[in-house]
Amino acid sequence: MKNTFGQSVAVTLFGESHGSEIGAVLDGLAPGIRIDEDFIRHRLSLRRPFGKISTARVEPDEFRIVSGVFEGKTTGTPLCILIPNTNTRSSDYSKEIPRPGHADYTAECKYHGCQDPRGGGHFSGRLTAALVAAGAIADSVLRECGIRIGTHISRLAGILDRPFDCLDADIAALSDLVFPVLSQSASEAMKREIELAAKDGDSVGGVLETAVTGLPTGVGEPWFDTVEGILAHALFSIPAVKGVEFGAGFDFASMRGSEANDAFRMANGEVVTVTNHNGGINGGITNGMPILFRCAVKPTPSIFLQQDSVNLETRQNTALSIKGRHDPAVIHRARVVVDSVTALVLCDLLAGRFGTDFPTTAFRQIGKD
Amino acid sequence: MKNTFGQSVAVTLFGESHGSEIGAVLDGLAPGIRIDEDFIRHRLSLRRPFGKISTARVEPDEFRIVSGVFEGKTTGTPLCILIPNTNTRSSDYSKEIPRPGHADYTAECKYHGCQDPRGGGHFSGRLTAALVAAGAIADSVLRECGIRIGTHISRLAGILDRPFDCLDADIAALSDLVFPVLSQSASEAMKREIELAAKDGDSVGGVLETAVTGLPTGVGEPWFDTVEGILAHALFSIPAVKGVEFGAGFDFASMRGSEANDAFRMANGEVVTVTNHNGGINGGITNGMPILFRCAVKPTPSIFLQQDSVNLETRQNTALSIKGRHDPAVIHRARVVVDSVTALVLCDLLAGRFGTDFPTTAFRQIGKD
Amino acid sequence: MKNTFGQSVAVTLFGESHGSEIGAVLDGLAPGIRIDEDFIRHRLSLRRPFGKISTARVEPDEFRIVSGVFEGKTTGTPLCILIPNTNTRSSDYSKEIPRPGHADYTAECKYHGCQDPRGGGHFSGRLTAALVAAGAIADSVLRECGIRIGTHISRLAGILDRPFDCLDADIAALSDLVFPVLSQSASEAMKREIELAAKDGDSVGGVLETAVTGLPTGVGEPWFDTVEGILAHALFSIPAVKGVEFGAGFDFASMRGSEANDAFRMANGEVVTVTNHNGGINGGITNGMPILFRCAVKPTPSIFLQQDSVNLETRQNTALSIKGRHDPAVIHRARVVVDSVTALVLCDLLAGRFGTDFPTTAFRQIGKD
Amino acid sequence: MKNTFGQSVAVTLFGESHGSEIGAVLDGLAPGIRIDEDFIRHRLSLRRPFGKISTARVEPDEFRIVSGVFEGKTTGTPLCILIPNTNTRSSDYSKEIPRPGHADYTAECKYHGCQDPRGGGHFSGRLTAALVAAGAIADSVLRECGIRIGTHISRLAGILDRPFDCLDADIAALSDLVFPVLSQSASEAMKREIELAAKDGDSVGGVLETAVTGLPTGVGEPWFDTVEGILAHALFSIPAVKGVEFGAGFDFASMRGSEANDAFRMANGEVVTVTNHNGGINGGITNGMPILFRCAVKPTPSIFLQQDSVNLETRQNTALSIKGRHDPAVIHRARVVVDSVTALVLCDLLAGRFGTDFPTTAFRQIGKD
């Protein structure tokens, strides 16, 4: 249903990069969830540009919760968050010459020239701030249930981070890192790579890897509403995400079944798998092991190098030099967006499975017994 | 909504591997679409096991259209297709010892032991026959609009097929190949690899690559209901699919923006892109270039080698040797399932965009002008 | 989504009056619900024509459950029920001259002449047999939770049944009545009225009144997905239903607030209302009192009197005399359809509220504590 | 999906009576619709209390469109409207003693005491201001297609307005009436009745009757998504609506088929019906005649007379005297809410039928040819 996602817990996104505000409506959350505004601010800060490797446009991201919260807790009715846009320079944009790799041309095709072109309008990565604010609330709900989400840059321009090791410690460590890389040396190398690209007026892409721990078994559906399918559906909304794989993902292509299958074993009275090539999901349904997935993030399309494009008015070829303020990499900023979208999707799945009072009684009694 | 997918054109899937019938209800198709039963049979034949590289269970896949067709054409009301199961050996299955890599354990968690375990029950790849039958009808609709879909095995156990070249010719060639590989030598090498795995009682995975030509521009939504998101949502339903990437996908991780961006040019009065790293989609919306995506297919989990598992009754570790009839590879059979799911999703997107009479007047006038 | 209704528990309807089978897919039911085929047969028998007051077309309504049941209990995966059509006389129908009061003309408009016209095709009341079979299963689920549904003819051609009195006894009494009227004398008078109309080649309408007891409080949403809205949405699917009112309904128009408001009182430690003019629903949400609603049922449009119509081919006025086998009243047969639709909707609402394992643990612990 | 309604054109509602703002997100509107802020203001003014027959709380209803509009026209992306609450007196409300006829008790049951009780919180009729603002935009779209909606008070406390006569003239006349009654004498009598009730500290209910002209044929679905079902679903959201009937509605109960059936005739080359007892809908689908329906509106539950209630803290019976500012009737204010909800639903149905560019090319070419 267009700009709304979720069935039991749903998020609706609105706004444009250079409008007065962007925002989100979060509906279906259980009543009584404590809202921690500092945590929301912290999550938003992880999305903000920083240092030399980011755009010069910095937004304070002051948010305002307009509805759905009373005396510091969710009411159970729709929660609307508004985030004002303050630092905008609208003269930087026109509709005539679409920027390669951006949605300018497809927006023109779909909206017949009525779209707001300023800063990418409704397509702008700016809208992910609203997803992050909503996701921070969803994340609070999950943490009450012992569910943790963490994402790192596993690959950037040929440089690999170390793999996840002790998940709980790694997730905890990541939550405070502005540049979310587990290995200190990989982190330095990646930042250098971004600076190099910036110096060339160019940009870089990479891969984000996410782990989720603490999910109960039996969540998801066998066909269509598989956990993989629903997560991927939402994750592909994140601008620049062009691939999603679960567990071994594309590496399965080189495996044999005897390697790929995750053997079952008993451990402390629980069924576990020895390996986790399936990323915690079999037949679309959680098996109690950590969920593991990776998102391919393409290089920011805004670069300072001259590019070939067309003039949609004159229908002639032309050259385009993009001015303005842009990121040589968005992957470190996209991290908290991936976490947020994941939190929103999981709240939806859990509320569908355990009822609208999740995360209270129902979840504790059914999900954990 | 669980086992139903699609908003404007929706498919509902039902049945179990060893029940009397499996089937699908296809709702929202325009009235007046001619039903070509031979084409449906042809598509089903591409999904059937063949030769040494497939399971010994062969189903005739006689289907029966129970509703929604009158005088050889769709009525516009729900079309129900039934496919009887005939060749079943239910003694091969039990619930005590879950098969690694299968959904046995997660089915037990979700359905509390009430699931039908015979042949994997509702989780069985057998249900994809109903998707293929429904997808064949969707495909007929798309072909009337000049839209073509084709899929090949681009990679299997380290062997690469040649890339797509002339898309229309390649798609046409693929439509008659039971083992869908463009390069003859790659085809032979892949088959040998499957036979080797079979000899070892093992199985192999691979990558399927799909191209769609002829789609109009302006289809898809900027957030959540992106073309990528909706396609991926549906594709992850296909058993064994564990990754989906569009255009350059995970290869974007090693690119710079200057390489990744697809420059625009005028060609015969149309806007085209010089490269197609974005797989025909920008900002979630079609740009008129071919849609390109790849699915990672894991090795069939049913192997004949002994595996570690647990006994869910006694809660003890145990060993499992799977008997029965199994595929050393499903990737060549999964090809037509990918095509079918793609066709169903595109019909849904186009009917949402151009109205329920798509593919008649609306599409021709708006989509193509 | 067209011919599918429900979010957590969804029913998809397919088939035509003179096709091989009609049927329904019921998805989202909890696993482990015992299927009582005799009860389904009993419910179907209440929908069948009887005696002088009904059509001469009698279908045996043999049904077949194709999927979703294993060892006599629901599996939790989609349950498909098929009911064959056997007693059809297709020569009775043509597309040229639409029957007044029927959907013939609107079907022509919507489906551009591709609809199946035999017996009303997909619009036929015949399809309600599939709703009744699915509803019987939903009803079994509700009865396990102590929820009871009963419907009587409260008005027919000026004759009034006595109002509901002791609800549990009345509902129990109705469940075995083929002609569902609480007062014996009203029942006789109504049947005479139907016979009179039949003698005139005419038909009669009426009002069905439904009560639901045992629902927990707190079900429904404040806006859009109110209990009234969702029930009405589904009830208006029943052919011939043209009005739905809750509690005092249209009688509220003559009341003052001081009469209309239902005062609260404590009774045995529970909050109850002294009157129930709001039909158990305030602000769209159940208050624990019985749900009460009424459906207006229009007279069967198939009558034997000559009527004015048009010839859609020649675009000329013409006269129409309907042959065939028809009901002088459908209201007594519509009763079990109303019950069934109500049961399906309530299962959906309760599964949304209490999770997909409703009616097991979750409901007992949360709904009833 | 809770507080969101619609598939192709969807509205999401948020806010509380005494929060900072209420608002709505309207998604799926075609691009290029001119926004007439004066018209929105005019529609909001029809919802505002006036004279002696309304509450003393008057809100200026300054609205702000935050997104989805660029250079005075819709962009095609989500349009968010905010309306600040200014004139609030929150000390008037408590949670202990639920007001009879209101949602206080059911809110407590559903939200476990976390709801915002001030002014009815999210349940407040105040939120209908956002529906009216969104509906004004939907109405603009419909008027471009020649579709007109009008509603009058057809009955209030035993006083009847004259029936609709010349629909186009009546609808035009109603659009400027603050108290929407067609007969001048009935209007005076109704206002007197409201003043009498006000003097008694009491309130009155009534019936609203709506007509829609200009709809194309062939809109709606045979089962579940009937035009009646979808309209009723949305209309029951309006606080105080407890019944919805189409065409003859409950009067069908006293008719015979020969009276109830609407005979077809040719008129100026078009198929019309001689009567319109079915309210423009057969088999759930529009037949090209005006849509006619009536909503039962219960008396405002807020009255100044003392009422019986309970104390939810002490679990004791108690008496309640409501202070504050209240309406002795809301029916004249509810009129524009009914119009607005109708406009939103029709835009959704038409966009589903004719595609997302409705009301441009598609509608003109298909709907009107």
Side-chain angles (χ1 to χ4, degrees):
Chain A
M1 206 195 297
K2 307 201 162 64
N3 295 275
T4 296
F5 194 80
Q7 295 214 2
S8 300
V9 172
V11 64
T12 298
L13 206 58
F14 58 86
E16 288 91 32
S17 182
H18 292 203
S20 60
E21 285 113 334
I22 59 161
V25 182
L26 186 51
D27 194 13
L29 276 190
I33 308 290
R34 188 159 296 284
I35 296 295
D36 179 347
E37 300 212 343
D38 284 337
F39 181 67
I40 300 174
R41 259 186 288 276
H42 169 64
R43 299 297 284 175
L44 284 168
S45 76
L46 295 180
R47 194 196 143 276
R48 261 202 295 281
F50 86 106
K52 279 179 287 187
I53 64 172
S54 297
T55 172
R57 175 181 174 186
V58 180
E59 287 278 4
D61 290 336
E62 298 292 346
F63 62 89
R64 198 156 62 81
I65 297 179
V66 165
S67 67
V69 173
F70 184 62
E71 297 176 344
K73 290 185 292 187
T74 57
T75 56
T77 58
L79 187 160
C80 177
I81 311 174
L82 290 179
I83 307 179
N85 292 318
T86 54
N87 189 346
T88 58
R89 287 199 212 155
S90 300
S91 57
D92 293 341
Y93 300 90
S94 93
K95 279 188 210 177
E96 282 76 27
I97 306 173
R99 295 166 298 162
H102 275 284
D104 298 354
Y105 174 63
T106 53
E108 179 76 21
C109 295
K110 181 174 174 71
Y111 301 117
H112 311 307
C114 300
Q115 71 279 9
D116 179 348
R118 301 167 303 159
H122 183 61
F123 291 82
S124 170
R126 173 75 186 137
L127 272 84
T128 59
L131 280 177
V132 169
I137 298 171
D139 195 76
S140 307
V141 175
L142 297 176
R143 278 178 303 140
E144 277 196 33
C145 305
I147 297 166
R148 293 284 181 287
I149 303 169
T151 298
H152 71 127
I153 306 174
S154 67
R155 182 148 64 95
L156 185 147
I159 302 151
L160 301 177
D161 192 13
R162 73 157 169 83
F164 275 125
D165 178 17
C166 174
L167 278 182
D168 284 327
D170 284 350
I171 289 172
L174 287 168
S175 70
D176 287 323
L177 290 178
V178 176
F179 194 79
V181 177
L182 294 165
S183 144
Q184 184 60 27
S185 60
S187 176
E188 295 310 317
M190 288 180 187
K191 281 188 230 168
R192 267 195 307 276
E193 201 66 38
I194 297 173
E195 287 171 29
L196 273 174
K199 209 171 295 172
D200 297 345
D202 215 332
S203 64
V204 298
V207 174
L208 289 170
E209 182 176 47
T210 302
V212 183
T213 61
L215 271 179
T217 62
V219 175
E221 299 292 332
W223 295 94
F224 305 130
D225 284 356
T226 62
V227 173
E228 291 110 324
I230 294 184
L231 269 170
H233 189 156
L235 290 166
F236 274 115
S237 285
I238 303 174
V241 169
K242 295 291 280 189
V244 176
E245 60 177 5
F246 291 83
F250 281 88
D251 284 350
F252 275 123
S254 326
M255 288 184 181
R256 283 196 163 185
S258 53
E259 282 170 271
N261 286 350
D262 298 311
F264 293 108
R265 291 281 95 174
M266 298 303 302
N268 306 318
E270 303 268 307
V271 175
V272 298
T273 62
V274 178
T275 50
N276 189 11
H277 295 125
N278 284 282
I281 307 166
N282 292 127
I285 297 169
T286 55
N287 65 16
M289 298 300 291
I291 303 267
L292 293 173
F293 61 86
R294 273 173 300 281
C295 295
V297 179
K298 73 174 184 174
T300 333
S302 291
I303 56 176
F304 292 98
L305 299 168
Q306 180 176 302
Q307 300 179 81
D308 285 342
S309 186
V310 295
N311 185 311
L312 296 175
E313 302 274 295
T314 63
R315 313 287 293 176
Q316 301 289 325
N317 287 337
T318 186
L320 175 69
S321 292
I322 301 180
K323 304 271 175 295
R325 303 164 295 178
H326 304 292
D327 287 292
V330 289
I331 190 165
H332 55 291
R333 301 176 59 194
R335 177 268 306 249
V336 69
V337 186
V338 167
D339 283 352
S340 299
V341 165
T342 303
L344 290 162
V345 166
L346 294 178
C347 277
D348 182 33
L349 284 168
L350 292 167
R353 177 76 183 83
F354 298 109
T356 49
D357 276 347
F358 153 80
T360 53
T361 352
F363 180 75
R364 295 219 181 87
Q365 288 172 347
I366 309 161
K368 291 306 196 184
D369 281 2
Chain B
M1 203 195 299
K2 306 202 162 67
N3 294 277
T4 296
F5 193 80
Q7 295 213 2
S8 300
V9 172
V11 63
T12 298
L13 206 58
F14 58 87
E16 288 92 31
S17 182
H18 292 203
S20 60
E21 285 113 334
I22 59 162
V25 182
L26 185 53
D27 194 13
L29 276 191
I33 308 290
R34 188 158 297 283
I35 296 295
D36 179 347
E37 300 212 344
D38 285 337
F39 181 67
I40 300 175
R41 260 185 288 274
H42 169 64
R43 299 298 283 176
L44 284 168
S45 77
L46 296 179
R47 194 196 143 275
R48 261 202 295 282
F50 86 105
K52 280 179 286 188
I53 63 172
S54 297
T55 172
R57 174 181 175 187
V58 181
E59 287 278 4
D61 289 336
E62 298 292 343
F63 61 90
R64 198 156 62 82
I65 297 180
V66 165
S67 67
V69 173
F70 184 61
E71 298 177 343
K73 290 186 293 188
T74 57
T75 57
T77 57
L79 188 161
C80 178
I81 311 173
L82 290 179
I83 306 179
N85 291 319
T86 54
N87 188 346
T88 57
R89 289 199 211 153
S90 299
S91 57
D92 292 342
Y93 299 90
S94 92
K95 278 189 210 177
E96 281 77 27
I97 306 173
R99 294 166 298 162
H102 275 284
D104 298 353
Y105 175 63
T106 53
E108 179 76 21
C109 295
K110 181 174 174 69
Y111 301 116
H112 311 306
C114 300
Q115 72 278 8
D116 178 347
R118 300 168 302 158
H122 184 60
F123 290 82
S124 170
R126 172 76 186 138
L127 272 84
T128 60
L131 280 176
V132 169
I137 298 170
D139 195 76
S140 307
V141 175
L142 297 176
R143 278 178 303 139
E144 277 196 33
C145 304
I147 297 167
R148 294 284 181 287
I149 302 169
T151 298
H152 69 128
I153 305 174
S154 67
R155 182 149 64 94
L156 184 147
I159 303 151
L160 300 178
D161 191 13
R162 72 159 170 80
F164 275 126
D165 179 17
C166 173
L167 277 182
D168 284 327
D170 284 351
I171 290 173
L174 287 168
S175 70
D176 288 323
L177 290 179
V178 176
F179 194 79
V181 178
L182 295 165
S183 144
Q184 184 61 27
S185 59
S187 176
E188 296 309 317
M190 288 180 188
K191 282 188 230 166
R192 268 195 306 278
E193 202 65 38
I194 297 173
E195 288 172 29
L196 273 174
K199 209 172 292 174
D200 296 346
D202 215 332
S203 63
V204 297
V207 174
L208 289 170
E209 182 176 46
T210 302
V212 183
T213 61
L215 269 179
T217 62
V219 175
E221 300 292 331
W223 296 94
F224 305 131
D225 285 356
T226 62
V227 174
E228 291 110 323
I230 294 185
L231 269 171
H233 189 156
L235 290 166
F236 275 115
S237 285
I238 303 174
V241 170
K242 296 291 280 189
V244 176
E245 61 176 5
F246 292 83
F250 281 87
D251 284 350
F252 275 123
S254 326
M255 287 184 182
R256 282 195 164 186
S258 52
E259 281 170 270
N261 286 351
D262 299 311
F264 292 109
R265 290 282 97 174
M266 297 305 301
N268 307 319
E270 303 267 307
V271 175
V272 299
T273 63
V274 178
T275 50
N276 190 10
H277 295 125
N278 284 282
I281 307 165
N282 292 128
I285 296 170
T286 54
N287 65 15
M289 298 300 292
I291 304 266
L292 294 172
F293 61 86
R294 273 174 298 282
C295 295
V297 179
K298 72 175 187 175
T300 333
S302 291
I303 56 176
F304 292 98
L305 300 168
Q306 180 176 301
Q307 298 178 82
D308 285 343
S309 186
V310 294
N311 184 311
L312 296 174
E313 302 274 295
T314 63
R315 313 288 290 177
Q316 301 290 325
N317 287 337
T318 184
L320 174 69
S321 294
I322 301 180
K323 305 272 176 295
R325 302 164 296 178
H326 305 293
D327 286 291
V330 288
I331 190 165
H332 54 292
R333 301 177 60 194
R335 176 270 304 253
V336 69
V337 186
V338 167
D339 283 351
S340 299
V341 165
T342 303
L344 290 162
V345 166
L346 294 178
C347 277
D348 183 32
L349 284 168
L350 291 167
R353 177 77 183 82
F354 298 109
T356 49
D357 277 347
F358 152 81
T360 54
T361 353
F363 179 75
R364 295 218 182 87
Q365 288 171 347
I366 310 162
K368 291 306 196 184
D369 280 2
Chain C
M1 204 196 299
K2 308 201 160 67
N3 294 278
T4 296
F5 194 80
Q7 295 213 2
S8 299
V9 173
V11 63
T12 298
L13 206 58
F14 58 86
E16 288 91 32
S17 183
H18 292 204
S20 60
E21 285 113 334
I22 58 162
V25 181
L26 185 52
D27 193 13
L29 276 191
I33 309 290
R34 188 159 297 283
I35 297 296
D36 179 346
E37 300 211 344
D38 285 337
F39 181 68
I40 300 174
R41 260 186 288 274
H42 170 65
R43 300 297 283 175
L44 284 168
S45 77
L46 296 179
R47 195 196 142 276
R48 262 202 295 280
F50 86 107
K52 279 179 287 188
I53 64 172
S54 296
T55 173
R57 174 182 174 186
V58 181
E59 286 278 4
D61 289 337
E62 299 292 345
F63 61 89
R64 197 155 63 82
I65 297 179
V66 165
S67 67
V69 174
F70 184 62
E71 297 177 345
K73 289 186 292 188
T74 57
T75 56
T77 58
L79 187 160
C80 177
I81 311 173
L82 290 179
I83 307 181
N85 292 318
T86 54
N87 189 346
T88 58
R89 288 200 212 154
S90 300
S91 58
D92 292 342
Y93 301 89
S94 93
K95 279 188 210 179
E96 282 76 27
I97 306 173
R99 294 166 299 162
H102 275 285
D104 299 353
Y105 175 62
T106 52
E108 179 76 21
C109 295
K110 182 174 173 70
Y111 300 116
H112 312 306
C114 300
Q115 72 278 9
D116 178 349
R118 300 167 303 158
H122 184 60
F123 291 82
S124 170
R126 173 74 186 138
L127 271 83
T128 60
L131 279 176
V132 170
I137 298 171
D139 196 76
S140 307
V141 175
L142 297 175
R143 279 179 303 139
E144 276 195 35
C145 305
I147 297 167
R148 294 284 182 287
I149 302 170
T151 298
H152 70 129
I153 305 174
S154 67
R155 182 148 65 93
L156 183 149
I159 303 152
L160 300 178
D161 192 14
R162 73 159 170 82
F164 276 126
D165 179 17
C166 172
L167 278 181
D168 284 328
D170 284 351
I171 290 172
L174 287 168
S175 70
D176 288 324
L177 290 178
V178 176
F179 194 79
V181 178
L182 295 165
S183 144
Q184 183 61 27
S185 60
S187 175
E188 296 309 318
M190 288 180 188
K191 282 188 229 165
R192 268 195 306 278
E193 203 64 40
I194 297 173
E195 288 172 28
L196 273 174
K199 209 172 293 172
D200 297 345
D202 215 333
S203 64
V204 297
V207 174
L208 289 171
E209 182 176 47
T210 303
V212 183
T213 61
L215 270 179
T217 63
V219 175
E221 299 292 331
W223 295 95
F224 306 129
D225 285 356
T226 63
V227 173
E228 292 110 323
I230 293 185
L231 269 170
H233 189 157
L235 291 166
F236 274 115
S237 284
I238 303 175
V241 169
K242 294 293 280 190
V244 176
E245 60 177 5
F246 291 84
F250 281 88
D251 284 348
F252 275 123
S254 326
M255 287 184 182
R256 282 196 165 185
S258 53
E259 282 170 87
N261 284 352
D262 299 311
F264 292 109
R265 290 281 96 173
M266 297 304 301
N268 306 319
E270 303 268 307
V271 176
V272 299
T273 64
V274 178
T275 50
N276 189 11
H277 295 124
N278 284 282
I281 307 165
N282 292 128
I285 296 169
T286 55
N287 65 15
M289 299 298 294
I291 304 267
L292 294 172
F293 61 86
R294 272 174 299 282
C295 294
V297 179
K298 72 174 185 175
T300 332
S302 290
I303 57 177
F304 292 98
L305 299 168
Q306 181 174 301
Q307 298 180 82
D308 285 343
S309 187
V310 294
N311 184 311
L312 296 175
E313 303 273 296
T314 63
R315 312 289 291 176
Q316 301 289 325
N317 288 336
T318 187
L320 174 69
S321 294
I322 301 180
K323 304 272 175 293
R325 301 164 296 179
H326 304 293
D327 286 292
V330 288
I331 190 166
H332 54 291
R333 300 176 59 194
R335 176 268 304 252
V336 68
V337 186
V338 167
D339 284 351
S340 299
V341 165
T342 303
L344 290 163
V345 167
L346 294 178
C347 277
D348 182 31
L349 284 168
L350 291 167
R353 177 78 183 82
F354 298 109
T356 49
D357 277 347
F358 152 80
T360 53
T361 351
F363 180 75
R364 297 223 178 85
Q365 288 171 348
I366 308 161
K368 291 306 195 183
D369 279 3
Chain D
M1 206 195 297
K2 307 202 163 64
N3 294 277
T4 296
F5 193 80
Q7 295 214 2
S8 299
V9 173
V11 63
T12 298
L13 206 58
F14 58 87
E16 287 92 32
S17 183
H18 292 204
S20 60
E21 285 114 333
I22 59 162
V25 182
L26 185 52
D27 193 14
L29 276 190
I33 309 290
R34 188 159 296 284
I35 296 295
D36 179 346
E37 299 212 344
D38 285 337
F39 181 68
I40 301 174
R41 259 185 288 275
H42 169 63
R43 299 297 284 175
L44 284 167
S45 77
L46 296 179
R47 194 197 144 275
R48 263 202 294 281
F50 86 106
K52 281 179 286 190
I53 63 172
S54 296
T55 172
R57 174 182 174 184
V58 180
E59 287 278 3
D61 289 337
E62 299 292 345
F63 62 90
R64 199 155 61 81
I65 297 180
V66 165
S67 67
V69 174
F70 183 62
E71 297 176 343
K73 289 186 291 188
T74 56
T75 56
T77 58
L79 188 160
C80 177
I81 311 172
L82 290 179
I83 306 179
N85 292 318
T86 54
N87 189 346
T88 58
R89 289 200 211 153
S90 300
S91 58
D92 292 342
Y93 301 89
S94 92
K95 278 187 210 177
E96 281 76 28
I97 307 174
R99 295 165 299 161
H102 274 285
D104 299 354
Y105 174 62
T106 53
E108 179 76 20
C109 295
K110 181 173 173 71
Y111 301 115
H112 310 307
C114 300
Q115 71 277 10
D116 178 349
R118 300 167 305 158
H122 183 61
F123 291 82
S124 170
R126 172 76 186 136
L127 271 83
T128 61
L131 279 177
V132 169
I137 298 170
D139 195 76
S140 308
V141 176
L142 297 176
R143 278 178 303 140
E144 276 196 35
C145 305
I147 298 167
R148 294 283 182 288
I149 303 169
T151 298
H152 70 128
I153 306 175
S154 67
R155 182 148 64 94
L156 183 147
I159 303 152
L160 300 178
D161 191 14
R162 74 159 169 81
F164 275 126
D165 179 17
C166 173
L167 278 182
D168 284 328
D170 285 351
I171 289 173
L174 286 168
S175 70
D176 287 324
L177 291 177
V178 176
F179 194 80
V181 178
L182 295 165
S183 145
Q184 183 61 27
S185 60
S187 177
E188 295 310 318
M190 287 179 187
K191 282 188 230 167
R192 268 196 305 278
E193 202 64 39
I194 297 173
E195 287 172 29
L196 273 174
K199 210 172 294 173
D200 297 345
D202 215 333
S203 64
V204 298
V207 174
L208 289 170
E209 182 176 48
T210 301
V212 183
T213 61
L215 270 180
T217 62
V219 175
E221 298 292 331
W223 295 94
F224 305 129
D225 284 356
T226 63
V227 173
E228 293 109 323
I230 293 185
L231 269 170
H233 189 156
L235 291 166
F236 275 115
S237 284
I238 303 174
V241 169
K242 294 293 279 190
V244 176
E245 60 177 5
F246 291 83
F250 281 88
D251 284 350
F252 275 123
S254 326
M255 287 185 182
R256 281 195 166 187
S258 53
E259 282 170 271
N261 285 351
D262 299 312
F264 292 108
R265 290 282 94 174
M266 297 304 301
N268 306 319
E270 302 269 306
V271 176
V272 300
T273 64
V274 178
T275 50
N276 189 10
H277 295 125
N278 285 282
I281 307 165
N282 291 128
I285 296 169
T286 55
N287 65 15
M289 299 298 293
I291 303 268
L292 294 171
F293 61 86
R294 273 173 300 281
C295 295
V297 179
K298 72 174 187 175
T300 333
S302 290
I303 57 177
F304 292 98
L305 300 167
Q306 180 176 300
Q307 299 179 80
D308 286 342
S309 186
V310 295
N311 185 311
L312 296 175
E313 301 275 294
T314 63
R315 313 287 293 177
Q316 301 288 326
N317 288 337
T318 185
L320 174 70
S321 293
I322 301 180
K323 303 274 176 291
R325 303 163 297 179
H326 304 293
D327 287 292
V330 288
I331 189 165
H332 53 293
R333 301 177 59 196
R335 175 269 303 250
V336 69
V337 187
V338 167
D339 283 351
S340 300
V341 165
T342 303
L344 290 163
V345 166
L346 294 178
C347 276
D348 182 33
L349 283 168
L350 292 167
R353 176 76 182 83
F354 298 109
T356 49
D357 276 347
F358 151 82
T360 53
T361 352
F363 179 74
R364 295 219 182 87
Q365 289 172 346
I366 310 162
K368 292 304 197 184
D369 281 0

